[in-house]
Amino acid sequence: MSEDFVSFEVNGQTLQARPGSMLIAATDAAGITVPRFCYHKKLSVAANCRMCLVEVERAPKPLPACATPIVAGMKVWTHSAKARAAQQDVMEFLLINHPLDCPICDQGGECELQDLSLGFGNSSSDYVEIKRVVRDKDLGPLIETAMTRCIHCTRCVRFGEEIAGMRELGATGRSQYTEIGTYVAKTVSSELSGNVIDVCPVGALTAKPSRYTARPWEMRAYDSIAPHDCVGSNLHVHTARGKVVRVVPRENEAINECWISDRDRFSYEGLKSQERLLKPQIKRDGHWKEVSWQEALDNVSGILRKQLSFNVAALAGPSSSAEEFFLFQKLMRGLNITNIDHRLRQVDFSDQAVAPIAPSLGMSLVELEQQQAIFLIGAYPRHDQPLLNHRIRKASLAGAKILALNPRQFAFNYDLVQIVATPLAMVDELAVLVKASLEAADLAIPQVVAELLANVQVTETARAQLEQLKAERALILLGQIAIQHPAFSSLRTLASLLAQATGAKLGYLPEANSMAAHLAGVLPHRRIAGGSVTNEGLTVSGALTDKNISTLVLMNAELDDFASPQQALKAFRAAKHVIVLAPFADTLAREYATILLPTSAFVETAGSFINAEGVWQSFQGVVTPPGEARPLWKVLRVLGNALNLPDFDYLETNEILAELKLNLQAVKLSTLGTLPTRLSLPKPVAHTMQRIGEVAMYRTDALVRRAKALQAMAGSPVVRMHPRDMDHLGISAKDLVRLGQGDSYVQLPAEMDEAIPVGCVGVQSGTEAARALGAAFGSIMVDKG
């Protein structure tokens, strides 16, 4: 054992640990059970429950194991008469005011207090006075409270401060009058708030959407992977009577530690949506008719067989599995269809030929928290990738310098320097930093950016901002806002040059399972593993504007998934055939679609996701799809057979995965592509403002958009404007504002927000109101409604 470790005894057993580390951590590592309530391995030590009292040699009284540092030669007894008596006394005090409502408590059967009371509680109590009652708190649509059960362990308080980065819960009062709650009556709004349900050792905090649904002993737990962002958080999906009733985190220290985001926890509610497709349907004479799977697949194969390949576009949503992506592109390429894409929210494809094979993080998630400097370009990971943001927060708390360039000021939960610029001005702001870095490194300006940097003046402010990136371990991250930016090629090129000049690494924060889509070749210009194509197809933007496209095949793609829903809707309505393979269909989908094929959601099928660092994670189906819905990979397989395409005889997803991995075994991920020959630099449109349309956190994909509790958290859509713009236009808070992009208009109430730059309006994408608008970061007409 290393010299850094010392020896000590616990119950006569010799153990070794680092001096100064806490006793409870050493006993846990050795498999020695010490009861506890307030201690949690991921939280600071509070030592306020006293349940972990143990006997220590030469100590006059029992000591809390969670707050007792280890010293060489110490002797400890965890189950001696002295320790046992102390633990029993603590349990008696904890139960004095605790209600006897275990039969109706959702925590019953998995309650730490219930478990420990069996081993350390007495059969009767000397306390005969009336128990205290604490009024419940309304913490919002996600968390149910029963505060009389609270034992003041403060785990929830410490979680908010130390992990979520938001001090939303706290203790007020003293002694028997102590209560846990919000300082000001309000909803708990952290994107990680649901984790307080898991850390609560009693039934004080439980999940409101699953309240009174099933008992823990009635549930079956299955392993799964979250599909909503590029982290791939590990989950336990709990089912009862064939239905998903709860989702909780599955510990994986390398991915999500022991936490999950609220989006991952509560999105399962969308499975019960009234918009769920249950049977195949075909539109005939303007009316929907339910048909058999055989008839539906015959119709689809007939349409695809008769269409000329350049008349068909195949578009896939980024939350599909790797196996679904692989079969989707294999099916289309087997029919010589090259108009294939999954980058539904991207608008700038001008440098796709020189872009990396896949937009990866470029390092592991664990390495992320070890960075000393991080530059976020067009990224708000707190809402887009909450568990990845948790790693960045840990890096910040460890002393890392964080710099961010965004089109609006975001509410990060750690200290950083924010550069806020209008969407079009983001390129100019980044160009200043690039020129400063090239001059500092004495490097020549590449020809591709020579014109852009020619008139750039390096300021002292830029040099000071550049100092933030001077570190041995520095990282530049391009986020979702950058990827969806109308000048993405310029941002990517400038970010690459900045990385080269400063020695920083470059990484991407891709959308959902976009890594798998890139590697599987769901692209118009590349095959699987980045292989070249003979005839390059149309990008998603090209397919939606090309009048030759008469047939569209949509896989897990809805209007709200597109960069410009208005453009997508126009293309769908103009098409002769719109074939939809999805679990859901809303009113608009039933208007433009011609064939609806009901497929499974992520917990109803097997598959694999590839997260941002390139980790492959497979999962199995948890419940049976409702009605006649079928796993999507099976639908694609049968279509391949119906079209007489070779090599579509898969019996299970493992076979598809093995073939996909075989094709990718020689691929080496790199975040640095080559520089393009030209840059995309959109110009502002006169007499308009610029829209800032980042995707709302709870509107990212079809399942999340149908989860009722999450939608209650999202609130109603509004238009956010800087006070100066509101004064200029004569608009007051709550006034209806008329917004127009292209041919459509929408009216939304105005909200004053100084985080929005002057000349811009904030209207989030993914909402029903945004369907009437165009590009998320395009020009927009604004006037008083």
Side-chain angles (χ1 to χ4, degrees):
M1 188 64 72
S2 168
E3 294 179 0
D4 291 339
F5 287 74
V6 296
S7 297
F8 63 103
E9 283 187 14
V10 178
N11 299 335
Q13 178 182 347
T14 301
L15 303 177
Q16 290 185 314
R18 294 186 183 279
S21 62
M22 296 306 156
L23 179 61
I24 198 167
T27 56
D28 284 352
I32 299 172
T33 302
V34 175
R36 85 289 304 272
F37 290 115
C38 68
Y39 175 77
H40 190 284
K41 64 181 180 180
K42 292 292 184 180
L43 303 176
S44 62
V45 172
N48 55 6
C49 78
R50 319 306 284 182
M51 192 64 214
C52 64
L53 291 174
V54 295
E55 182 181 355
V56 179
E57 187 181 44
R58 291 192 296 273
K61 58 182 180 180
L63 300 178
C66 67
T68 301
I70 292 170
V71 296
M74 70 186 301
K75 293 185 178 181
V76 179
W77 294 271
T78 64
H79 297 94
S80 65
K82 188 175 183 179
R84 186 90 177 172
Q87 293 160 358
Q88 288 176 337
D89 289 345
V90 169
M91 178 58 69
E92 183 175 7
F93 277 109
L94 288 175
L95 292 176
I96 279 177
N97 278 308
H98 199 79
L100 298 176
D101 61 350
C102 296
I104 65 163
C105 179
D106 269 355
Q107 195 84 348
E110 56 184 9
C111 174
E112 294 177 46
L113 182 66
Q114 203 175 47
D115 292 342
L116 292 179
S117 68
L118 290 176
F120 301 92
N122 295 321
S123 59
S124 61
S125 174
D126 295 330
Y127 187 81
V128 295
E129 286 77 14
I130 297 174
K131 293 176 180 282
R132 77 167 191 164
V133 176
V134 181
R135 189 174 181 179
D136 290 339
K137 312 296 189 296
D138 184 3
L139 301 185
L142 304 181
I143 303 170
E144 182 64 45
T145 61
M147 302 312 295
T148 303
R149 301 170 185 158
C150 179
I151 61 171
H152 307 149
C153 71
T154 69
R155 281 187 184 180
C156 58
V157 177
R158 284 175 286 142
F159 172 84
E161 294 180 3
E162 299 166 14
I163 306 299
M166 296 178 69
R167 192 175 184 182
E168 296 181 294
L169 294 173
T172 56
R174 300 191 65 183
S175 185
Q176 66 173 332
Y177 302 108
T178 301
E179 293 186 20
I180 300 294
T182 55
Y183 291 111
V184 178
K186 64 171 185 175
T187 296
V188 172
S189 59
S190 166
E191 63 282 358
L192 301 176
S193 67
N195 289 288
V196 300
I197 298 166
D198 302 322
V199 301
C200 181
V202 294
L205 303 174
T206 54
K208 188 172 285 188
S210 61
R211 192 183 190 198
Y212 300 150
T213 302
R215 288 299 191 180
W217 55 84
E218 296 174 322
M219 300 181 192
R220 298 188 66 182
Y222 299 89
D223 295 346
S224 192
I225 307 296
H228 308 301
D229 59 36
C230 62
V231 175
S233 296
N234 289 208
L235 312 174
H236 282 307
V237 178
H238 293 171
T239 68
R241 297 173 291 279
K243 305 291 183 183
V244 177
V245 296
R246 190 172 64 176
V247 172
V248 298
R250 174 163 55 98
E251 187 168 350
N252 186 331
E253 198 64 27
I255 305 294
N256 56 297
E257 298 182 353
C258 57
W259 318 115
I260 56 172
S261 69
D262 290 349
R263 186 169 56 194
D264 296 337
R265 183 185 298 272
F266 296 108
S267 65
Y268 74 89
E269 275 196 300
L271 297 171
K272 302 177 287 187
S273 170
Q274 295 297 311
E275 295 176 340
R276 192 70 200 263
L277 288 173
L278 301 178
K279 291 185 178 181
Q281 299 174 47
I282 297 177
K283 186 183 288 183
R284 288 175 178 157
D285 300 324
H287 299 284
W288 285 103
K289 180 184 177 182
E290 292 183 350
V291 298
S292 66
W293 267 105
Q294 187 63 51
E295 184 177 353
L297 294 173
D298 286 344
N299 272 268
V300 172
S301 58
I303 291 169
L304 294 178
R305 191 180 288 113
K306 293 174 184 177
Q307 295 294 309
L308 296 173
S309 59
F310 61 83
N311 293 141
V312 182
L315 306 176
S319 59
S320 306
S321 71
E323 291 84 349
E324 291 163 356
F325 282 133
F326 176 68
L327 290 186
F328 187 66
Q329 63 84 32
K330 185 175 181 179
L331 177 72
M332 297 305 158
R333 295 195 193 282
L335 297 171
N336 295 318
I337 296 169
T338 58
N339 305 321
I340 310 169
D341 212 342
H342 76 280
R343 301 164 297 176
L344 307 186
R345 291 193 172 114
Q346 189 173 328
V347 294
D348 181 13
F349 305 95
S350 57
D351 69 337
Q352 64 178 10
V354 295
I357 291 176
S360 70
L361 182 60
M363 62 178 60
S364 70
L365 291 167
V366 174
E367 288 177 295
L368 187 59
E369 64 187 67
Q370 298 167 356
Q371 300 305 298
Q372 298 166 322
I374 300 174
F375 185 14
L376 302 171
I377 301 175
Y380 188 31
R382 182 178 166 193
H383 280 188
D384 293 338
Q385 303 90 15
L387 268 299
L388 185 142
N389 183 72
H390 168 59
R391 302 278 186 177
I392 297 177
R393 173 175 159 77
K394 290 174 73 175
S396 175
L397 293 175
K401 297 178 180 179
I402 314 294
L403 180 66
L405 169 61
N406 280 310
R408 59 160 297 178
Q409 187 169 345
F410 288 113
F412 288 92
N413 55 357
Y414 39 81
D415 293 332
L416 77 166
V417 175
Q418 290 202 61
I419 306 171
V420 179
T422 65
L424 294 183
M426 285 177 63
V427 175
D428 299 325
E429 290 288 344
L430 187 54
V432 175
L433 292 175
V434 170
K435 188 169 185 177
S437 66
L438 291 173
E439 289 178 354
D442 196 22
L443 296 174
I445 296 176
Q447 186 61 38
V448 67
V449 295
E451 183 178 351
L452 175 62
L453 300 185
N455 299 318
V456 168
Q457 299 296 321
V458 177
T459 63
E460 289 303 316
T461 301
R463 290 192 177 94
Q465 291 165 347
L466 197 60
E467 287 293 319
Q468 300 284 316
L469 289 178
K470 286 190 175 179
E472 183 181 346
R473 296 188 299 276
L475 174 66
I476 299 171
L477 282 177
L478 288 162
Q480 278 301 297
I481 294 172
I483 293 172
Q484 296 163 19
H485 196 279
F488 175 43
S489 62
S490 299
L491 293 177
R492 173 157 47 195
T493 299
L494 292 171
S496 299
L497 292 173
L498 185 61
Q500 293 172 22
T502 60
K505 290 184 177 180
L506 178 65
Y508 297 81
L509 298 177
E511 187 177 9
N513 201 26
S514 183
M515 273 280 289
H518 278 85
L519 293 172
V522 187
L523 296 164
H525 64 296
R526 286 176 179 166
R527 288 180 173 271
I528 187 171
S532 60
V533 296
T534 305
N535 297 310
E536 189 171 304
L538 298 172
T539 63
V540 58
S541 298
L544 295 177
T545 54
D546 192 310
K547 294 183 179 180
N548 290 320
I549 300 297
S550 60
T551 298
L552 285 150
V553 183
L554 306 179
M555 182 179 80
N556 290 333
E558 297 184 322
L559 276 181
D560 295 336
D561 296 319
F562 288 83
S564 174
Q566 182 188 122
Q567 181 189 65
L569 182 58
K570 187 180 293 185
F572 298 163
R573 284 172 171 169
K576 183 179 179 181
H577 303 287
V578 179
I579 302 165
V580 174
L581 298 89
F584 311 98
D586 57 18
T587 304
L588 273 176
R590 290 183 174 278
E591 176 191 327
Y592 60 70
T594 54
I595 299 179
L596 296 172
L597 301 181
T599 59
S600 54
F602 86 103
V603 293
E604 299 164 352
T605 184
S608 304
F609 294 133
I610 308 174
N611 75 359
E613 69 170 271
V615 174
W616 295 65
Q617 299 184 100
S618 296
F619 56 92
Q620 297 296 317
V622 170
V623 292
T624 303
E628 294 183 20
R630 296 291 181 267
L632 180 51
W633 71 270
K634 290 187 177 181
V635 176
L636 294 171
R637 179 199 64 187
V638 175
L639 271 175
N641 290 326
L643 290 162
N644 297 318
L645 298 178
D647 302 323
F648 265 85
D649 299 321
Y650 306 101
L651 297 178
E652 54 185 25
T653 55
N654 287 342
E655 298 175 14
I656 307 170
L657 185 63
E659 184 177 342
L660 176 58
K661 285 188 172 182
L662 184 64
N663 281 280
L664 296 174
Q665 61 183 354
V667 171
K668 293 183 178 179
L669 293 177
S670 172
T671 58
L672 288 172
T674 56
L675 296 181
T677 55
R678 64 183 180 86
L679 294 181
S680 171
L681 295 170
K683 302 295 183 183
V685 178
H687 309 300
T688 64
M689 300 179 76
Q690 295 180 49
R691 180 185 167 195
I692 301 170
E694 80 279 6
V695 181
M697 176 169 57
Y698 297 133
R699 303 289 298 179
T700 50
D701 58 57
L703 191 63
V704 172
R705 288 191 288 267
R706 290 171 173 83
K708 290 183 179 180
L710 294 180
Q711 296 316 300
M713 290 290 293
S716 302
V718 296
V719 52
R720 301 179 186 276
M721 301 177 66
H722 194 278
R724 283 167 52 186
D725 285 326
M726 293 180 70
D727 289 342
H728 177 71
L729 295 171
I731 298 170
S732 301
K734 307 300 181 184
D735 283 354
L736 284 179
V737 177
R738 192 167 182 258
L739 307 168
Q741 283 183 291
D743 302 328
S744 299
Y745 292 86
V746 68
Q747 283 188 320
L748 291 175
E751 190 169 299
M752 192 177 295
D753 191 346
E754 293 186 356
I756 302 292
V758 174
C760 298
V761 295
V763 185
Q764 289 186 319
S765 298
T767 65
E768 292 182 12
R771 290 177 186 173
L773 299 176
F777 295 94
S779 298
I780 187 168
M781 297 289 295
V782 182
D783 58 54
K784 191 171 181 179

